[in-house]
Structures are given as C-alpha cells and as structure tokens.
C-alpha cells in the first residue's frame, strides 16, 4: 500500500512516496523547484539510485504535479520509476501550513474542506494558494484518489487561552479569529514524540523543541502537548528567520510605512521577504553564507556576525522563558536545516544556560549533523538532556493520511 506525500510551496512542490506495509519505507522522493519561473527544475531520487536533475519548464503547479507523476512512473528520461500507474497510490497527504479557526486536526478532503481551506488565505498568504494549486494538480493526475490535509497548526491547538490570546479587545479576537496559531507543528510533534521515547515517558515531561531553518519556531511541550509556541497568527512572528523579521515592536510598522512610503501589501511582503538574516547581514538569508563571510573576514563580516548573534540570543531567551512556563525543562531538542546541521548556532543558543542544568558536550555538538541521526549533545551527567533529532514531517503526514483513509 503506497501513500504519496505532497508539500506544495509558492514556487515548489516536494513529494515522497511511502510503502506503508514496509514500515513506511521511502520508495522515491523529488522536488519540482522554481515552478512558474524560467529556471524550473525537477529533482528525483528513487531509493537506492542516484539523484537525477533536469531542467524542464513548469509554468504552474498543475504541470509540476504531472511531472511528479511522470517521474514516479518512469516516464521521464533518465529517471527510474517505482510504480506502473498512479492508481497504485492509495491516498495523498498534503502538508498545509495554516488551518485557521476551521481545522484542529487532519481531515479528508471534501468540497466543504476545500471551501474552508480557501478561507485560510489571510492566515498564510504565502502558502495557502500554493496548497490549493497542489491539491488541484493531484486531483487531475489521480482522479478519485483520497486526499488528506495535515495542518502545521494542529499540534498547537492544545495551547491554553492565556497563551494563545492576544491582548486586544476581546470582541476583535472572536470576530476576526485572531489568536496564536503557531506553525511547524508536524515537525514539533514528531521530535517531541521521539524525545518522549528517549525519556521513557510522556506524562510528566517538559521539553523545548527548536525547529530552526529558513523559517524557525520554538515550542514548549508539557506532557506531550504544546502549551506555547513562538509563531503567532502567521508564521511571521517569533525569532529572526531567513527573510522574516520575527517579533518586532508593532510601532515600527507604521513608522516604516510612512518613512519609506510602503503600502499595506508592500509592508507585509517586506517583513516576510526582506528582513531577518538577509536584512541584517545585507548579504544572504543562508546561514552557511553568513558563516563563510565571517570566516573569510569579508566586507560584511560584522553585519553577518550580528545577524547570527541576534538569532542565537533570541533562541536562548525563548528556551529560558519556556523553562519558566513549563516549570523546569527535561530536554531541549534541535531540528530542521539549521538546528540539525549548525553546531555553532546550537552552542551559542545554549551558552549561559548552565544554571538550568545544561552541560553541553562541545566536541560531540561541533561535529554532529542531521545525517548522523538522533544524537545526544549533552554530557551524561547533564540535568537537561540536549538532543539533535532529524525531523520527519513527511512520515507524520503519511501516517495521518493512512490512519484517516485505511
């Protein structure tokens, strides 16, 4: 039995094909990149084979899903397929960033679900339209196949009212469905479950999970349930990110709009795409490029260092505040692109937290990357366990999809 997992972004479409009966083994995975641009590419890897990358025009997500289909069936030159027909796929699971006030758990797609998904546009404008286009593409290449939506916000619905309610007139929060929704919930859920397995229990656990990548969020998880998270109404809130500003004084926004003559749509785009690591460094949103600039003593080395220092400091503040909210902390988990592969950032974020009981093994931490698998980064005697756990959102989506459609 095969489950296809699709993650449609604004200009991309990632996919993985799972074999449920073989312990959710990955049969193949791929990426349709730069969809809608002249530089669009298709990357595809059948498990056990080398990755193949070709340049191919994909003017929209409909074309991208067709290319995905062709790759999986071996109809693209140089790419070895793993299924004879798309009818072999039992169901399709879709990663969805925002469920808004309409979805608190994964759901099978119906006409009503599609209508409510469209209403989530304002909560994640960069993502919702792409999700809808990806869904429609799957309807075209796999008519009649069940589709399931798995929401990044679902894991955060356990937050208490005092953590998710903003201090604005209460009527507004109800009329406009304004509250803290969070994001990256599928990732936080996966690593929290894995950490609970390591601790040998779920009840009584106090865990801080740090999903750090181009988009970053931090969550406080008590007894396996989220009690707070750094992202808010939208994925713009929280710590500094690749191109997102994260939390800033709200008064800065009208000041920037007035000074630089930026409209409402413009300011939203500006804070999502031109701030964060990119805005502070003036060089790049990629942490690896910032590190290289500092190491090489480049022209923007000082600004790059500042950008990284801001992020490390903010992560540290969130860990400390969540330790207070949790009433202590048993474990801190790092995951996602930066969290899994950047030992320098992990060390910087944990520096000074010895008072909490963090005793980092600096040698292990420095050499640990995501490819090494689950790794303990703290010393054996550390009161707080620190781990790097590679996230596996696709597995969680595949499992939810199967459970809802089996």
């Amino acid at each position: 039995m095969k489950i296809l997992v699709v993650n449609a972004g604004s200009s991309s479409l990632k996919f993985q094909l799972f074999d449920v009966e073989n312990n959710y083994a990955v049969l193949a995975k791929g990426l349709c990149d730069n969809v809608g641009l002249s530089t669009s590419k298709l990357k595809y890897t059948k498990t056990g084979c080398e990755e193949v990358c070709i340049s191919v025009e994909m003017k929209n997500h409909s074309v991208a899903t067709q290319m995905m289909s062709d790759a999986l069936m071996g109809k693209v030159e140089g790419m070895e397929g793993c299924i004879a027909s798309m009818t072999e796929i039992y169901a399709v699971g879709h990663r969805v960033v925002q469920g808004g006030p309409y979805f608190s758990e994964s759901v099978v797609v119906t006409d009503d679900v599609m209508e409510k998904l469209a209403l989530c546009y304002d909560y994640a404008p960069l993502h919702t339209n792409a999700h809808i286009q990806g869904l429609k593409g799957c309807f075209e290449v796999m008519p009649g196949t069940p589709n399931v939506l798995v929401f990044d916000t679902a894991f955060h619905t356990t937050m208490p009212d005092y953590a998710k309610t903003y201090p604005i007139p209460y009527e507004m929060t109800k009329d406009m469905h304004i509250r803290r929704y969070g994001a990256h919930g599928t990732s936080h859920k996966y690593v929290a479950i894995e950490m609970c397995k390591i601790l040998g229990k779920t009840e009584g656990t106090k865990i801080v999970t740090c999903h750090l990548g181009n988009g970053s969020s931090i969550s406080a998880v008590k007894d396996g349930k989220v009690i707070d998270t750094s992202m808010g109404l939208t994925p713009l809130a929280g710590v500094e990110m690749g191109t997102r500003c994260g939390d800033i004084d709200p008064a800065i926004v009208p000041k920037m709009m007035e000074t630089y003559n930026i409209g409402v749509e413009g300011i939203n785009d500006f804070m999502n795409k031109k701030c964060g690591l990119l805005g502070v460094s003036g060089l790049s949103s990629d942490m690896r490029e910032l590190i290289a600039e500092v190491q090489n003593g480049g022209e923007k080395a000082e600004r790059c260092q500042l950008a990284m220092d801001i992020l490390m400091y903010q992560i540290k503040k969130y860990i400390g505040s969540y330790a207070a909210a949790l009433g202590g902390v048993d474990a801190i988990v790092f995951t996602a692109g930066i969290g899994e592969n950047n030992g320098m950032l992990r060390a910087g974020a944990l520096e000074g937290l010895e008072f909490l009981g963090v005793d980092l093994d600096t040698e292990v931490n420095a050499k640990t990357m995501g490819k090494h698998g689950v790794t303990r980064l703290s010393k054996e005697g550390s009161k707080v366990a620190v781990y790097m756990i590679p996230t596996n959102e696709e597995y969680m989506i595949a499992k939810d999809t199967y459970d809802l459609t089996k």
Side-chain angles (χ1 to χ4, degrees), residues 63-345:
V63 177
T65 50
Q66 185 61 59
M67 291 303 304
M68 170 189 71
S69 171
D70 290 346
L72 291 170
M73 291 189 291
K75 293 184 178 181
V76 179
E77 186 176 352
M79 295 183 181
E80 188 174 343
C82 54
I83 54 175
S85 167
M86 295 300 282
T87 58
E88 292 182 36
I89 295 174
Y90 180 72
V92 185
H94 298 260
R95 181 238 179 173
V96 179
V97 168
Q98 252 287 3
Y102 311 104
F103 304 103
S104 59
E105 58 188 2
S106 302
V107 294
V108 177
V109 174
T110 63
D111 290 343
D112 180 61
V113 166
M114 287 297 291
E115 290 176 9
K116 288 179 178 175
L117 178 61
L119 297 176
C120 295
Y121 177 82
D122 288 342
Y123 301 100
L126 299 180
H127 301 90
T128 303
N129 186 58
H131 297 327
I132 293 172
Q133 295 307 312
L135 272 161
K136 290 180 177 178
C138 288
F139 296 160
E140 292 174 8
V141 298
M142 291 169 281
T145 300
N147 286 260
V148 170
L149 305 185
V150 179
F151 300 93
D152 272 357
T153 48
F155 188 49
H156 301 303
T157 56
T158 54
M159 281 188 288
D161 287 344
Y162 57 78
K164 67 185 179 185
T165 304
Y166 288 105
I168 60 175
Y170 187 75
E171 293 76 16
M172 288 184 177
T173 66
K174 294 302 179 184
D175 292 345
M176 301 174 66
H177 304 294
I178 293 175
R179 65 174 176 85
R180 186 179 300 279
Y181 288 100
H184 300 134
T186 309
S187 175
H188 287 289
K189 182 178 181 180
Y190 176 79
V191 298
I193 289 173
E194 294 302 301
M195 192 65 237
C196 286
K197 290 178 182 177
I198 294 169
L199 293 173
K201 60 180 182 178
T202 298
E203 293 298 317
T205 56
K206 302 169 183 178
I207 303 169
V208 177
T209 54
C210 305
H211 177 106
L212 308 173
N214 189 51
S216 298
S217 62
I218 303 172
S219 292
V221 184
K222 189 173 186 177
D223 303 325
K225 298 178 181 179
V226 174
I227 64 165
D228 206 347
T229 192
S230 61
M231 284 183 167
L233 176 71
T234 74
L236 181 59
V239 298
E240 174 192 41
M241 300 174 231
T243 59
R244 299 176 206 159
C245 60
D247 291 339
I248 60 173
D249 183 340
I252 294 173
V253 179
K255 186 70 173 175
M256 287 193 298
M257 294 174 70
E258 179 183 354
T259 303
Y260 297 101
N261 193 28
I262 305 175
V264 174
E265 288 187 10
I267 196 66
N268 188 53
D269 187 72
F270 177 81
M271 291 190 295
N272 273 286
K273 297 181 180 180
K274 297 180 181 179
C275 295
L277 295 175
L278 173 63
V280 177
S281 71
L283 178 70
S284 173
S285 62
D286 191 322
M287 181 71 77
R288 293 166 295 188
E289 293 187 29
L290 271 59
I291 292 173
E293 181 75 359
V294 171
Q295 291 176 339
N296 296 330
E299 180 182 344
K300 296 184 177 178
E302 189 172 337
R303 286 176 58 178
C304 289
Q305 185 62 59
L306 175 60
M308 293 188 289
D309 287 344
I310 291 171
L311 178 56
M312 289 185 285
Y313 178 65
Q314 291 182 342
I315 295 168
K316 183 186 306 183
K317 284 207 300 182
Y318 265 103
I319 292 173
S321 66
Y322 285 167
L326 289 163
V329 58
D330 299 316
I332 299 169
V333 181
F334 291 93
T335 194
I338 295 174
E340 293 173 22
N341 299 302
N342 194 318
M344 180 205 71
L345 178 130

Side-chain angles (χ1 to χ4, degrees), residues 5-9 12-15 93-95 131 393-394 397:
V5 171
V6 173
N7 181 355
S12 65
L13 188 142
K14 297 179 184 177
F15 59 92
H94 298 260
R95 181 238 179 173
H131 297 327
E393 296 164 280
E394 291 80 9
I397 295 169

